[in-house]
Structure formats: C-alpha cells, structure tokens
Amino acid sequence: MRVSFHPDYHIGLPSPHPFPMGKYALLYAHLLRAGLVDPACVEEPIEAPLAMLSRVHASDYLDRCARGELSAKEIRVLGLPWSARLWRRSRLAVYGTYLAACNALKDSISANLAGGTHHAFADHGEGFCVLNDVAVTIRELQSRQAITRALIVDLDVHQGNGTAAIFAEDNSVFTLSIHGARNYPAVKARSSLDVNLPDGTADVPYLAALEDALTQAIQQAAADIVFYIAGVDVVVGDRYGRLGLTVDGLRQRDAYVIKAIRSAGLPLVIVLGGGYSPSTLQTAQLHAIVFEEAVASIIKHPEHFASHRSFYRGVF
Ligand SMILES: [Zn+2]
C-alpha cells in the first residue's frame, strides 16, 4: 500500500500542548518497523499550491495565512500557535491526502499519515485544523474530472463540521459523520447523515450504528471514491472523546469500514483524524491499527484489492 508522509508533518509546539504532534513520526517509525509500510511505497508530498487550496478556501483567508496575519482570535479558535512551519505542514498534509487519493484511484487503497482536518471551514480554521485536506482533494479531483462523486466516512469522535459546511449545498459529496453528541463542536453543522452517539457508547451499539449508517451512506452516495477519517479519539480514556470503545472495538470498526468499502469495489483513502490518548505513543499505536487492518484485509481478501484501473481516468 502506498502512503504519503513528510518529516515536516511534525512541527515543534510549546510544551505542554494538548495536540500530540509527536504522533506522526512515531506512527511512521512504527509502520516501517512492523513491516506494514514498505519504504519504497512512501511518497513525499509537496506543499499544496494555492490554486488547489482556493478550490475550497476563501482567497482572503489563504492570503492572511500566507502572510501570517490571522487575528489573535482566529489563532485562539485554531488552538495552535501560528508559524510559517504550521502553514507549510498544513499545505504538505493537504497534498499528502491528494497524493493518497490519486494512488487509491490507481491501486484501490492508499493512505496519508496525516490529514482528516475536518474542522477547517472555507474561511477559517478551528480545532487544530488550518486547511480541509479532504475537501480540497475532492474539489481538485472533480476539477480534473478524475471523479464525479465522493463519500466521506468521518468516524473521528468530533463532528466534521467544516467538511459538512463546505459540502452543504453540494449533492455530489456525501458526508457521513458518526460522533459524540456532547463533544466539540458545541454547535453542529449538518452533514448528509449525522449519527449522534451518547456519552460512553460502547463497542456493540457503536458497531451496530456504524453498520446501519455506512450501508445507507454507500447506497446513497453512489461515490467514485471514499475518504475514511479514522480518528482514534473514540477509544475509552481519550482526553477529548466521551465514548467508550475498547481497543478491540476500534480494530473491529476499522476492519469493518475497510471490508465494506472494498467489497463495494470503491477506492479507499485513509486519513488519520484525531487522537488524544494519555500518551503520544499510545495515540500513535492506535492510529497504526487501521494500517494493520488494511494490510490484513489485503492478505485475506486479495480479490477486493485487485488493481483498480477502471477508476483511473488517466488525468494525473
Ligand atoms: Zn477528533
């Protein structure tokens, strides 16, 4: 499986900071060490060009980001100290998701070892999200006529409010968000399908809700590609999550999504989303599970991962 990764996904943050920035390098090292990713299959993104970002984001917002002129209030809402390196890493992560999507269209599955920044709106960032990598990627692929329709399966414990708002009036993109009802954001946007779960939801009801919602979403979306935001903040003990999944429940969740999407014959792009375990290492280990399940699925069901040239329209 080809994956996108750049060492500059990591930037230094003042300590202590609630965002576990160290997870990117830890995850990358773990995947290589465990043999889940072949170094020859790692692709390094460039910074997403402004023309690509402007397919989603307001030019005024992009200009002010580029000049480092966000207001103190905007930076507070974002939750990360502004820096040129943050701007660069945000653009690298967007292009990483774009690369992964191109690879998924060719290979049936691919991943970005970052991304899923679903709280970024067209004209502002919030909740640690500067740019909306999945939204920009979808718009770029549509503009290149590489795809027509897309499905976003957002299983981060927080609602994908930025993504929902960006595609609110766009019937070509189906947004599914399964999240904690009482989690951030306090005011939810409207996705194509929202599933609000009560505090403490455990494995069995979670997986039942997932099966119902994903079956419906796959049918209604009629998508050419699926983006899976595989946030691990659904696991019990997460600092920001309020749900009660076990680690095994998370593994079942990831395995189920991969199987459902691939048995439907759809190209699958995996992006990380959030995770706030007690330690950064634990967060990275939880993020590794979706890769473990992807590799296991490729071995177990090779027929689901036969090269997918039928989706590749030869436009990149
Ligand atoms: Zn989250």
Short mmCIF file of all heavy atoms in Angstrom, two decimals, residues 46-77:
data_model
loop_
_atom_site.label_atom_id
_atom_site.label_comp_id
_atom_site.label_asym_id
_atom_site.label_seq_id
_atom_site.Cartn_x
_atom_site.Cartn_y
_atom_site.Cartn_z
N ILE A 46 4.46 17.58 -1.81
CA ILE A 46 4.90 18.98 -1.86
C ILE A 46 3.87 19.81 -1.09
O ILE A 46 2.86 19.28 -0.61
CB ILE A 46 4.99 19.48 -3.32
CG1 ILE A 46 3.63 19.35 -4.01
CG2 ILE A 46 6.07 18.73 -4.08
CD1 ILE A 46 3.54 20.05 -5.36
N GLU A 47 4.12 21.10 -0.96
CA GLU A 47 3.11 21.97 -0.36
C GLU A 47 1.99 22.18 -1.39
O GLU A 47 2.26 22.53 -2.54
CB GLU A 47 3.72 23.32 0.00
CG GLU A 47 4.75 23.23 1.11
CD GLU A 47 5.43 24.57 1.39
OE1 GLU A 47 4.81 25.62 1.20
OE2 GLU A 47 6.61 24.54 1.80
N ALA A 48 0.76 21.95 -0.99
CA ALA A 48 -0.35 22.12 -1.92
C ALA A 48 -0.33 23.55 -2.48
O ALA A 48 -0.25 24.51 -1.72
CB ALA A 48 -1.67 21.86 -1.22
N PRO A 49 -0.38 23.69 -3.82
CA PRO A 49 -0.38 25.03 -4.42
C PRO A 49 -1.61 25.83 -4.00
O PRO A 49 -2.66 25.27 -3.74
CB PRO A 49 -0.41 24.74 -5.93
CG PRO A 49 -0.07 23.30 -6.08
CD PRO A 49 -0.46 22.61 -4.81
N LEU A 50 -1.46 27.14 -3.98
CA LEU A 50 -2.58 28.00 -3.59
C LEU A 50 -3.78 27.81 -4.52
O LEU A 50 -4.93 27.88 -4.08
CB LEU A 50 -2.14 29.47 -3.56
CG LEU A 50 -1.17 29.82 -2.42
CD1 LEU A 50 -0.70 31.27 -2.56
CD2 LEU A 50 -1.82 29.60 -1.06
N ALA A 51 -3.51 27.56 -5.80
CA ALA A 51 -4.62 27.37 -6.75
C ALA A 51 -5.47 26.17 -6.35
O ALA A 51 -6.69 26.17 -6.52
CB ALA A 51 -4.06 27.19 -8.16
N MET A 52 -4.83 25.14 -5.81
CA MET A 52 -5.56 23.96 -5.36
C MET A 52 -6.37 24.29 -4.10
O MET A 52 -7.56 23.98 -4.00
CB MET A 52 -4.56 22.83 -5.08
CG MET A 52 -5.19 21.54 -4.61
SD MET A 52 -3.94 20.31 -4.11
CE MET A 52 -3.58 19.53 -5.64
N LEU A 53 -5.72 24.97 -3.16
CA LEU A 53 -6.41 25.31 -1.90
C LEU A 53 -7.61 26.21 -2.16
O LEU A 53 -8.63 26.13 -1.47
CB LEU A 53 -5.43 26.01 -0.95
CG LEU A 53 -4.20 25.20 -0.55
CD1 LEU A 53 -3.29 26.05 0.35
CD2 LEU A 53 -4.59 23.92 0.17
N SER A 54 -7.49 27.08 -3.16
CA SER A 54 -8.56 28.06 -3.40
C SER A 54 -9.79 27.41 -4.04
O SER A 54 -10.81 28.07 -4.20
CB SER A 54 -8.05 29.21 -4.26
OG SER A 54 -7.70 28.73 -5.53
N ARG A 55 -9.71 26.14 -4.36
CA ARG A 55 -10.93 25.46 -4.82
C ARG A 55 -11.93 25.31 -3.68
O ARG A 55 -13.12 25.11 -3.91
CB ARG A 55 -10.60 24.07 -5.39
CG ARG A 55 -9.71 24.13 -6.61
CD ARG A 55 -9.69 22.81 -7.35
NE ARG A 55 -8.69 22.81 -8.41
CZ ARG A 55 -8.85 23.42 -9.57
NH1 ARG A 55 -9.95 24.11 -9.83
NH2 ARG A 55 -7.89 23.38 -10.48
N VAL A 56 -11.42 25.40 -2.44
CA VAL A 56 -12.30 25.32 -1.26
C VAL A 56 -12.21 26.59 -0.42
O VAL A 56 -13.22 27.13 0.02
CB VAL A 56 -11.91 24.10 -0.39
CG1 VAL A 56 -12.56 24.18 1.00
CG2 VAL A 56 -12.32 22.80 -1.08
N HIS A 57 -10.97 27.03 -0.17
CA HIS A 57 -10.77 28.07 0.83
C HIS A 57 -10.85 29.48 0.23
O HIS A 57 -10.44 29.70 -0.91
CB HIS A 57 -9.44 27.87 1.53
CG HIS A 57 -9.42 26.63 2.39
ND1 HIS A 57 -10.11 26.56 3.58
CD2 HIS A 57 -8.88 25.40 2.18
CE1 HIS A 57 -9.96 25.34 4.09
NE2 HIS A 57 -9.22 24.61 3.27
N ALA A 58 -11.37 30.40 1.04
CA ALA A 58 -11.52 31.79 0.62
C ALA A 58 -10.15 32.42 0.39
O ALA A 58 -9.22 32.19 1.17
CB ALA A 58 -12.27 32.56 1.71
N SER A 59 -10.03 33.19 -0.68
CA SER A 59 -8.72 33.75 -1.02
C SER A 59 -8.22 34.69 0.07
O SER A 59 -7.03 34.74 0.37
CB SER A 59 -8.76 34.45 -2.38
OG SER A 59 -9.76 35.42 -2.37
N ASP A 60 -9.13 35.41 0.73
CA ASP A 60 -8.73 36.31 1.81
C ASP A 60 -8.11 35.52 2.97
O ASP A 60 -7.08 35.91 3.53
CB ASP A 60 -9.96 37.10 2.30
CG ASP A 60 -9.65 37.86 3.58
OD1 ASP A 60 -8.82 38.78 3.52
OD2 ASP A 60 -10.22 37.50 4.64
N TYR A 61 -8.72 34.38 3.30
CA TYR A 61 -8.19 33.53 4.37
C TYR A 61 -6.81 32.99 3.99
O TYR A 61 -5.86 33.05 4.79
CB TYR A 61 -9.17 32.39 4.65
CG TYR A 61 -8.68 31.37 5.66
CD1 TYR A 61 -8.30 31.75 6.94
CD2 TYR A 61 -8.61 30.01 5.32
CE1 TYR A 61 -7.86 30.81 7.86
CE2 TYR A 61 -8.17 29.06 6.24
CZ TYR A 61 -7.80 29.47 7.51
OH TYR A 61 -7.35 28.54 8.42
N LEU A 62 -6.68 32.52 2.76
CA LEU A 62 -5.39 31.97 2.32
C LEU A 62 -4.31 33.05 2.32
O LEU A 62 -3.16 32.81 2.74
CB LEU A 62 -5.52 31.35 0.92
CG LEU A 62 -6.42 30.12 0.83
CD1 LEU A 62 -6.58 29.69 -0.63
CD2 LEU A 62 -5.89 28.97 1.67
N ASP A 63 -4.68 34.24 1.85
CA ASP A 63 -3.70 35.34 1.81
C ASP A 63 -3.21 35.68 3.21
O ASP A 63 -2.02 35.88 3.44
CB ASP A 63 -4.35 36.61 1.20
CG ASP A 63 -4.56 36.46 -0.29
OD1 ASP A 63 -3.99 35.52 -0.87
OD2 ASP A 63 -5.31 37.29 -0.85
N ARG A 64 -4.15 35.73 4.15
CA ARG A 64 -3.77 36.10 5.52
C ARG A 64 -2.95 34.98 6.18
O ARG A 64 -2.04 35.26 6.95
CB ARG A 64 -5.01 36.47 6.33
CG ARG A 64 -5.57 37.83 5.85
CD ARG A 64 -6.73 38.36 6.67
NE ARG A 64 -7.84 37.42 6.70
CZ ARG A 64 -8.22 36.74 7.78
NH1 ARG A 64 -7.60 36.91 8.91
NH2 ARG A 64 -9.24 35.92 7.71
N CYS A 65 -3.27 33.72 5.85
CA CYS A 65 -2.43 32.61 6.34
C CYS A 65 -1.01 32.75 5.78
O CYS A 65 -0.02 32.64 6.52
CB CYS A 65 -2.99 31.26 5.90
SG CYS A 65 -4.47 30.73 6.77
N ALA A 66 -0.93 33.00 4.48
CA ALA A 66 0.39 33.06 3.82
C ALA A 66 1.24 34.19 4.38
O ALA A 66 2.46 34.09 4.48
CB ALA A 66 0.20 33.22 2.31
N ARG A 67 0.57 35.28 4.76
CA ARG A 67 1.31 36.44 5.30
C ARG A 67 1.46 36.38 6.82
O ARG A 67 2.06 37.27 7.41
CB ARG A 67 0.58 37.74 4.91
CG ARG A 67 0.63 38.04 3.41
CD ARG A 67 0.32 39.52 3.14
NE ARG A 67 -1.00 39.89 3.60
CZ ARG A 67 -2.09 39.92 2.84
NH1 ARG A 67 -2.01 39.60 1.56
NH2 ARG A 67 -3.24 40.27 3.34
N GLY A 68 0.88 35.35 7.43
CA GLY A 68 0.95 35.24 8.90
C GLY A 68 0.16 36.33 9.58
O GLY A 68 0.57 36.86 10.61
N GLU A 69 -1.01 36.68 9.00
CA GLU A 69 -1.79 37.80 9.52
C GLU A 69 -3.14 37.39 10.09
O GLU A 69 -4.08 38.18 10.10
CB GLU A 69 -1.99 38.84 8.41
CG GLU A 69 -0.69 39.53 8.04
CD GLU A 69 -0.84 40.51 6.88
OE1 GLU A 69 -1.97 40.61 6.33
OE2 GLU A 69 0.15 41.16 6.53
N LEU A 70 -3.25 36.16 10.58
CA LEU A 70 -4.50 35.79 11.26
C LEU A 70 -4.61 36.59 12.56
O LEU A 70 -3.59 36.89 13.19
CB LEU A 70 -4.53 34.29 11.57
CG LEU A 70 -4.55 33.32 10.38
CD1 LEU A 70 -4.74 31.89 10.87
CD2 LEU A 70 -5.63 33.68 9.37
N SER A 71 -5.83 36.89 12.94
CA SER A 71 -6.03 37.68 14.17
C SER A 71 -5.78 36.79 15.39
O SER A 71 -5.79 35.56 15.31
CB SER A 71 -7.46 38.22 14.22
OG SER A 71 -8.36 37.14 14.41
N ALA A 72 -5.60 37.44 16.54
CA ALA A 72 -5.39 36.69 17.79
C ALA A 72 -6.59 35.79 18.06
O ALA A 72 -6.44 34.66 18.53
CB ALA A 72 -5.17 37.67 18.93
N LYS A 73 -7.77 36.28 17.73
CA LYS A 73 -8.98 35.47 17.97
C LYS A 73 -8.99 34.23 17.05
O LYS A 73 -9.31 33.12 17.48
CB LYS A 73 -10.23 36.32 17.73
CG LYS A 73 -11.49 35.57 18.10
CD LYS A 73 -12.75 36.37 17.80
CE LYS A 73 -13.96 35.46 18.01
NZ LYS A 73 -15.14 35.94 17.33
N GLU A 74 -8.63 34.44 15.78
CA GLU A 74 -8.60 33.31 14.84
C GLU A 74 -7.60 32.25 15.30
O GLU A 74 -7.85 31.05 15.19
CB GLU A 74 -8.23 33.81 13.44
CG GLU A 74 -9.36 34.53 12.72
CD GLU A 74 -8.92 35.04 11.36
OE1 GLU A 74 -7.94 35.81 11.30
OE2 GLU A 74 -9.55 34.67 10.36
N ILE A 75 -6.46 32.71 15.82
CA ILE A 75 -5.44 31.76 16.27
C ILE A 75 -5.90 31.03 17.53
O ILE A 75 -5.66 29.83 17.70
CB ILE A 75 -4.09 32.51 16.48
CG1 ILE A 75 -3.56 32.98 15.12
CG2 ILE A 75 -3.07 31.61 17.18
CD1 ILE A 75 -2.37 33.90 15.20
N ARG A 76 -6.63 31.73 18.38
CA ARG A 76 -7.16 31.09 19.60
C ARG A 76 -8.17 30.00 19.21
O ARG A 76 -8.14 28.89 19.76
CB ARG A 76 -7.83 32.15 20.47
CG ARG A 76 -8.05 31.70 21.91
CD ARG A 76 -8.41 32.85 22.82
NE ARG A 76 -9.60 33.57 22.41
CZ ARG A 76 -9.61 34.85 21.99
NH1 ARG A 76 -8.49 35.54 21.94
NH2 ARG A 76 -10.73 35.44 21.62
N VAL A 77 -9.03 30.30 18.26
CA VAL A 77 -10.03 29.31 17.82
C VAL A 77 -9.34 28.11 17.17
O VAL A 77 -9.77 26.96 17.31
CB VAL A 77 -11.03 29.98 16.84
CG1 VAL A 77 -11.91 28.95 16.16
CG2 VAL A 77 -11.89 31.00 17.58
#
